[in-house]
């Protein structure tokens, strides 16, 4: 398939994902949502999905872009002339009926365990849709949007489903003749990457400090737990828990009452759960949080744009401050909220992503050279918030969205575990735990996940 000529260089932030994808150090991100169509939608589900894909491809140019030269220092995006949906959309029948009232979607978890271990290959799109259908309810399906992290971040995955739902809600009069399998690429240009849209400033002091730690001396706290040393190859494991709607609502209220946020509280809950299951010799864990940077580049992107505009922030947790009290340490969650607010107030200034322009060879300097070393952080928390049907949520005459599950591949050089958080139209808060096989023990993960569930349950009691 010949590629379109309008190529665009992959940004430095995006190169983090092209390099690690090529090395098979990280594969993809996924956001899955369960949709319910009204009885008036009488065509096969496939027709509505194909039509929605056509609409989204016309709206979001990144859906027809693929990175070329992932194994080089200067990869670029090329545009596919078209997308054959039969090659990017797959359908699988459920063995058991799924209800949004269930605590866990076991079949979806099995699908994600498979998908998070599969790479992308040119010249197909660097995204795919995996659809779980239900013979017992022909109007309901679960759609997992699986994508390469260089074309989209977590918020963009949320945008995909928001746009997909809006597309479905415009199809009340769809006919079979309106449905296409091969969709031409739009003429819309790609949106600017982070470096093109933001000045990415760093202070001399911050730059000197980071260079000193990277090249000269960066002592490690002997009490810090970060799983095993960095190893390959990568096999991702995933397990998710669902907090029922009534508990999720109570949990949200508890956070507000204590002047903190869901994200800050969940970071603290996860840290406490780790300490409860790690030997006492480990006295510190480090959290790496992800946040969208869209708010600082409003002239270029909006909340409805798809691309990669994200940065991280860090927070340390000490065993003593989390384990000595019999009551939940809300003061720590308030501190974590302040850490997040401070990162927001910096508006992208001194962000770690801004240092990438000083890295000569991302693949070797940031990935291959790390094999055998200790990782720098314990766990990641990424929260994309709520994805709902909006105002017509109670209107059964329009398509609606229910359960939402956000997850991602483990990262060879990244955190020992990753926790991806989202809530959907069913009101349930879902936490997906991902880790690399061999880096964290299965029993430890089972125990930590159960501790997180119990902690949230206790806070809602």
């Amino acid at each position: 398939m010949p590629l379109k000529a309008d190529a665009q260089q992959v940004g430095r932030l995006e190169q983090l994902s092209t390099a690690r994808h090529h090395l098979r150090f990280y594969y993809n991100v996924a956001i899955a949502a369960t949709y319910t169509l009204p009885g008036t939608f009488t065509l096969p589900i496939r027709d509505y999905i194909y039509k929605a894909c056509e609409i989204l491809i016309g709206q979001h140019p990144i859906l027809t872009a693929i990175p070329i030269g992932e194994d080089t220092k200067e990869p670029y995006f090329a545009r596919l002339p078209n997308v054959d949906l039969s090659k990017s959309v797959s359908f699988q029948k459920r063995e058991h009926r799924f209800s949004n009232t269930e605590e866990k979607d076991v079949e979806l978890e099995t699908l994600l365990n498979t998908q998070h271990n599969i790479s992308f290959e040119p010249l197909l799109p660097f995204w795919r849709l995996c659809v779980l259908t239900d013979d017992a309810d022909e109007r309901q399906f679960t759609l997992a949007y699986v994508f390469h992290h260089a074309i989209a971040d977590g918020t963009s995955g949320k945008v995909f489903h928001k746009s997909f739902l809006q597309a479905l809600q415009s199809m009340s009069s769809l006919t079979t003749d309106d449905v296409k399998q091969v969709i031409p690429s739009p003429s819309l240009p790609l949106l600017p990457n982070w470096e093109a849209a933001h000045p990415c400033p760093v202070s001399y002091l911050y730059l000197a400090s980071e260079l000193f730690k990277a090249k000269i001396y960066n002592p490690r706290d002997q009490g810090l737990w970060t799983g095993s040393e960095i190893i390959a190859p990568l096999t991702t494991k995933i397990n998710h828990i669902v907090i029922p709607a009534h508990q999720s609502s109570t949990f949200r209220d508890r956070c507000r009452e204590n002047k903190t946020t869901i994200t800050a509280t969940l970071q603290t809950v996860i840290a406490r759960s780790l300490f409860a299951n790690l030997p006492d010799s480990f006295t510190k864990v480090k959290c790496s949080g992800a946040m969208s940077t869209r708010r600082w580049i409003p002239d270029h992107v909006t909340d409805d744009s798809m691309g990669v505009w994200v940065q991280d922030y860090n927070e340390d947790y000490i065993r003593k401050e989390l384990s000595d009290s019999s009551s939940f340490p809300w003061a720590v969650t308030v501190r974590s909220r302040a850490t997040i607010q401070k990162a927001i107030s910096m508006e992208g200034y001194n962000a770690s992503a801004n240092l990438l322009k000083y890295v000569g060879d991302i693949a070797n300097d940031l990935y291959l050279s790390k094999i055998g070393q200790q990782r720098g952080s314990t766990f990641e928390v990424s929260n994309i918030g709520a994805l709902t049907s909006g105002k017509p949520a109670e209107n059964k005459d329009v398509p609606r969205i229910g359960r939402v599950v956000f997850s991602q591949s483990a990262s060879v050089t990244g955190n020992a575990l990753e926790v991806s958080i989202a809530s959907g139209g069913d009101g349930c808060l879902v936490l997906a735990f991902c880790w690399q096989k061999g880096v964290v023990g299965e029993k430890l993960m089972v125990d930590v996940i159960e501790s997180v569930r119990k902690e949230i349950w206790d806070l809602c009691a």
Side-chain angles (χ1 to χ4, degrees):
M1 178 192 297
L3 299 173
K4 296 178 71 174
D6 53 338
Q8 178 172 307
Q9 186 174 4
V10 173
R12 299 294 282 176
L13 180 58
E14 297 159 342
Q15 282 186 45
L16 288 178
S17 293
T18 56
R20 60 183 177 170
H21 178 264
H22 166 70
L23 296 171
R24 304 301 188 252
F25 279 17
Y26 182 99
Y27 288 109
N28 52 49
V29 188
I31 300 183
T34 296
Y35 292 86
T36 301
L37 302 179
T40 53
F41 281 48
T42 57
L43 297 179
I45 282 177
R46 171 188 171 279
D47 289 354
Y48 295 106
I49 291 174
Y50 273 25
K51 186 62 180 179
C53 286
E54 178 187 354
I55 293 172
L56 265 64
I57 288 170
Q59 294 173 339
H60 302 289
I62 195 65
L63 292 175
T64 55
I66 63 172
I68 301 296
E70 284 193 320
D71 59 335
T72 72
K73 294 182 181 180
E74 296 184 354
Y76 62 94
F77 283 117
R79 302 289 291 279
L80 297 168
N82 56 61
V83 175
D84 185 340
L85 295 176
S86 69
K87 298 178 180 178
S88 295
V89 184
S90 63
F91 294 85
Q92 177 182 324
K93 288 186 178 181
R94 288 183 177 273
E95 295 183 5
H96 307 284
R97 185 175 184 181
F98 170 72
S99 168
N100 278 320
T101 61
E102 293 181 29
E103 285 198 5
K104 185 170 182 175
D105 189 342
V106 176
E107 289 184 78
L108 174 61
E109 183 173 283
T110 299
L111 182 148
L112 292 173
N113 263 299
T114 298
Q115 290 299 318
H116 283 313
N117 289 290
I118 301 176
S119 63
F120 296 95
E121 303 295 338
L123 295 165
L124 292 174
F126 272 42
W127 57 269
R128 51 184 176 261
L129 300 184
C130 305
V131 185
L132 291 174
T133 60
D134 191 342
D135 283 345
D137 187 346
E138 295 183 350
R139 298 298 89 193
Q140 179 175 288
F141 61 93
T142 299
L143 185 150
Y145 170 51
V146 184
F147 55 95
H148 191 301
H149 209 339
I151 70 166
D153 53 22
T155 299
S156 298
K158 181 179 175 180
V159 170
F160 180 95
H161 280 286
K162 178 182 176 182
S163 301
F164 193 89
L165 179 65
Q166 291 171 343
L168 289 176
Q169 291 174 346
S170 71
M171 294 183 201
S172 58
S173 59
L174 184 71
T175 66
T176 301
D177 292 339
D178 296 326
V179 180
K180 301 175 184 176
Q181 176 179 307
V182 179
I183 313 301
S185 292
S187 57
L188 295 172
L190 296 179
L191 294 171
N193 57 49
W194 168 242
E195 297 86 1
H198 191 275
C200 301
V202 293
S203 67
Y204 288 119
L205 181 61
Y206 174 68
L207 177 59
S209 172
E210 294 302 306
L211 285 174
F212 183 84
K213 287 187 289 186
K215 302 292 186 180
I216 302 175
Y217 186 60
N218 186 18
R220 180 183 174 88
D221 188 326
Q222 294 303 305
L224 174 64
W225 182 84
T226 57
S228 81
E229 70 279 1
I230 295 170
I231 58 174
L234 169 64
T235 298
T236 293
K237 306 285 287 184
I238 175 175
N239 195 336
H240 77 288
I241 59 174
V242 178
I243 310 303
H246 67 282
Q247 278 189 308
S248 297
S249 178
T250 301
F251 182 66
R252 189 177 299 108
D253 291 342
R254 292 284 186 274
C255 294
R256 290 171 179 164
E257 291 166 4
N258 287 278
K259 297 180 172 54
T260 188
T261 63
I262 288 176
T263 300
T265 303
L266 288 176
Q267 288 180 188
T268 307
V269 166
I270 295 163
R272 272 171 59 93
S273 297
L274 282 164
F275 284 132
N277 292 283
L278 289 170
D280 291 344
S281 57
F282 292 108
T283 57
K284 180 179 180 179
V285 293
K286 182 183 289 290
C287 171
S288 175
M291 67 168 58
S292 172
T293 59
R294 295 158 186 261
R295 71 194 86 191
W296 305 312
I297 46 176
D299 293 339
H300 301 277
V301 303
T302 70
D303 287 339
D304 294 323
S305 300
M306 290 182 64
V308 182
W309 305 285
V310 67
Q311 73 170 64
D312 61 4
Y313 61 89
N314 296 297
E315 180 82 346
D316 292 341
Y317 294 92
I318 308 302
R319 180 184 287 274
K320 183 176 177 59
E321 66 183 1
L322 295 185
S323 304
D324 283 359
S325 174
S326 58
S327 60
F328 187 76
W330 286 107
V332 176
T333 73
V334 173
R335 184 197 73 196
S336 295
R337 181 188 183 185
T339 297
I340 297 171
Q341 289 299 320
K342 181 179 179 181
I344 292 173
S345 70
M346 297 289 281
E347 297 186 353
Y349 181 69
N350 279 352
S352 61
N354 300 351
L355 298 172
L356 292 173
K357 57 190 172 185
Y358 301 106
V359 180
D361 187 334
I362 288 177
N364 284 303
D365 296 346
L366 300 185
Y367 297 123
L368 291 172
S369 65
K370 305 297 184 183
I371 293 292
Q373 297 184 17
Q374 294 294 318
R375 62 195 73 243
S377 187
T378 309
F379 67 99
E380 174 187 312
V381 168
S382 183
N383 185 0
I384 61 170
L387 177 60
T388 67
S389 300
K391 293 182 179 178
E394 303 302 321
N395 185 353
K396 297 186 183 303
D397 294 329
V398 298
R400 290 167 289 132
I401 200 167
R403 176 72 50 81
V404 173
V405 178
F406 167 35
S407 60
Q408 59 181 311
S409 162
S411 177
V412 167
T413 59
N415 298 270
L417 64 140
E418 297 166 343
V419 187
S420 303
I421 305 158
S423 60
D426 62 350
C428 295
L429 185 66
V430 180
L431 285 69
F433 297 78
C434 298
W435 67 97
Q436 181 182 352
K437 182 179 179 181
V439 168
V440 186
E442 295 282 332
K443 185 180 185 306
L444 174 61
M445 284 307 308
V446 169
D447 292 343
V448 167
I449 292 170
E450 183 55 36
S451 294
V452 169
R453 185 203 303 273
K454 184 178 185 303
E455 185 91 72
I456 295 174
W457 181 280
D458 290 345
L459 289 175
C460 297

